[in-house]
Amino acid sequence: MIRQLTEQDHQQVLQLIGKKPAENLFIIGDLEAYGYDSDIQQLYGEFQDEQLIALLLNYDHMYVMYAEGTYDVEGFARIVNTDEQLLGLSGMYDILTSLYPLIEKTPKRSGKMHYAKCTALIGEAPPHRFTIRKTTVEDIPQHRALLQQIPEFANSTTTEEQMIRTIENQTGRTYALWEDNQIVSVVSTAAENLQSAMIVGVATHPDYVKRGYATALLYKMCEELLEEDKVVCLFYDNPKAGKIYERIGFEPIGYWGMHNF
């Protein structure tokens, strides 16, 4: 049986997703932010013998699927297919493989990314003689200026207002490395919640690459998050980048699938 969940189901929800905070980072974060009684968010669950076994989160027409074992694929597909404003469907790839073929809308873009998590760092922090500190609202113009000089971030639609909101709402943070009186490398988080956080926006100015700056920042960021008892997660599609992440303690946990409509 699938039904929409309410606050009364919260303990069962936590029991299901709390065992895998990395895999459920987005569901956990959105529940913390918006709860069960929101105009832009609904959470559906499947029960077997009164036990919750699967979840489908709808956040503003962006769906995230999670299940333990087999689940009612046709039932969850019906929920997604009735959304005429469907924008996305994502989740751990092995969970989505049976659901994707039943989605009636043709995606504009599909893909899967390597997904990794870190629960403990390996080795010691890389030695450095430069300044690393957490960015503030006043640093955002420099942060954006750096990203605009890097091809993979140059077309980002993220505004300064959104970056300010992330800092103020504490749903993300950024560490920056300073050299020559400017920000030359950054590492950020997104979707932070009480149990996990996603590493995003790893970037270094083209004139300062291959100096270990991003690795030093990443180590510093992970160190802080782990001290807060958070699992650190990240996506990557470059195997070379994956080797760097593994060297400091990240371990692969599968693939993250994404359909964008």
Side-chain angles (χ1 to χ4, degrees), residues 133-145 163 167 174 176 178 183:
R133 64 177 173 83
K134 193 179 296 184
T135 61
T136 64
V137 170
E138 289 73 23
D139 299 320
I140 287 176
Q142 274 214 56
H143 184 174
R144 288 193 74 238
M163 296 173 78
I167 292 176
T174 296
W178 293 73
I183 293 176

Side-chain angles (χ1 to χ4, degrees), residues 56-64 76-90 99-100 102-108 259-261:
L56 177 68
L57 177 78
N58 171 19
Y59 170 75
D60 202 16
H61 311 290
M62 298 286 292
Y63 290 79
V64 181
F76 284 109
R78 282 193 293 271
I79 295 173
V80 177
N81 287 330
T82 57
D83 189 339
E84 296 180 355
Q85 300 180 61
L86 174 63
L87 296 176
L89 173 61
S90 64
L99 181 59
Y100 277 159
L102 301 184
I103 303 305
E104 297 169 356
K105 193 172 183 178
T106 302
K108 291 184 178 180
H259 265 7
N260 294 319
F261 299 92

